[in-house]
Amino acid sequence: MERRIRLALITTVALGALASPAAGFAQNRLIATVGTNDDQVITLTHENGSPVTDIPAGTYTIEVRDRSTMHNFHLTGPGVDRETAVGSIQTVTWTVTFENEARYVFVCDPHSTTMRGSFTTGGGPSPPPPAPPPPIGSTLYATVGPGFTISFRTRRGARISRLRAGRYVIVVRDRSTSHNFHLYGRGVSKRTRVPVMGRTRWAVRFTRGVYRYRCDPHARRMRGSFRVV
């Protein structure tokens, strides 16, 4: 009898741990980004790229991507005061716990009047799961122009924010003589020529890490990035 009671208690404790917020907090992952290409831009997003506006209270992991020595990322609110250093470029991970019915603010301290944002913890729905990345070997589409537009998308037109490591074929559509498409990252550096319009195909192999694309003559305005996992 005593053995049965002990087993029942162990089972109850195990089930309680699985149901607790801490057991699932790894799903609560946010991305903080500041100062890409030294621009005065600061964001806090879910993994799928949607901005954080209202989230449930609880414990979250935040990947902080501080990409400029001129800026920093500073997050404050009830029970939270975390920041990166202004003079450094770094990627760090914070574990923070947000209280319920509270407001949190994130700023770049040297430019706090123009680079700032906020969100609340109103107990709203959980953030949507990120869209699954395209399968390895898919054909992807890179487009630049007409006008000041640049994109990297799947065959169905979805913006690419995440890929699995592996080999891909990229169809590049350069639609302007004023722009080019430059794709670069670990083991990859490919670009079209600025005065030439046309369509080409690249065979590339992506490994884990962050890759970026831009128009070289207008890199501050026309750019993007994605992560390979």
Side-chain angles (χ1 to χ4, degrees):
M1 183 67 176
E2 183 179 348
R3 176 183 174 84
R4 290 179 183 176
I5 294 174
R6 187 178 297 118
L7 288 174
L9 288 173
I10 292 173
T11 302
T12 302
V13 171
L15 290 174
L18 289 174
S20 69
F25 94 96
Q27 297 179 358
N28 296 341
R29 183 170 178 270
L30 308 178
I31 308 296
T33 308
V34 62
T36 304
N37 295 323
D38 289 335
D39 283 356
Q40 293 194 8
V41 178
I42 188 170
T43 60
L44 182 65
T45 67
H46 300 290
E47 282 194 289
N48 65 358
S50 61
V52 174
T53 56
D54 183 84
I55 56 177
T59 301
Y60 288 74
T61 57
I62 305 178
E63 180 178 319
V64 185
R65 304 170 182 173
D66 186 339
R67 296 172 170 169
S68 173
T69 58
M70 298 188 299
H71 306 300
N72 78 327
F73 193 99
H74 190 180
L75 174 64
T76 58
V80 176
D81 189 356
R82 302 292 296 271
E83 63 188 297
T84 60
V86 174
S88 65
I89 296 175
Q90 58 182 309
T91 298
V92 296
T93 300
W94 296 339
T95 300
V96 300
T97 299
F98 297 128
E99 298 181 8
N100 194 29
E101 299 294 337
R103 180 175 181 268
Y104 291 84
V105 176
F106 53 93
V107 302
C108 164
D109 289 321
H111 310 95
S112 59
T113 59
T114 56
M115 297 176 64
R116 63 189 298 112
S118 65
F119 62 94
T120 56
T121 54
S126 300
I136 296 172
S138 297
T139 299
L140 311 176
Y141 293 84
T143 306
V144 62
F148 286 85
T149 60
I150 191 168
S151 64
F152 189 46
R153 300 182 180 275
T154 65
R155 183 186 297 273
R156 294 186 176 182
R159 185 180 70 87
I160 294 172
S161 59
R162 192 165 57 113
L163 286 176
R164 294 187 178 95
R167 296 184 181 276
Y168 295 83
V169 172
I170 302 177
V171 176
V172 186
R173 300 174 288 198
D174 191 331
R175 296 173 171 171
S176 173
T177 58
S178 302
H179 307 303
N180 76 330
F181 193 98
H182 185 183
L183 173 67
Y184 59 101
R186 186 177 180 183
V188 176
S189 181
K190 292 181 175 290
R191 71 184 78 193
T192 59
R193 295 175 55 196
V194 173
V196 179
M197 295 175 59
R199 184 184 179 105
T200 188
R201 294 168 71 91
W202 295 336
V204 301
R205 181 179 183 275
F206 293 125
T207 57
R208 291 184 178 182
V210 175
Y211 288 78
R212 295 180 171 83
Y213 54 92
R214 71 187 186 197
C215 165
D216 290 325
H218 309 96
R220 294 179 67 86
R221 297 178 58 184
M222 301 171 64
R223 66 189 185 278
S225 65
F226 58 96
R227 178 172 291 275
V228 176
V229 296

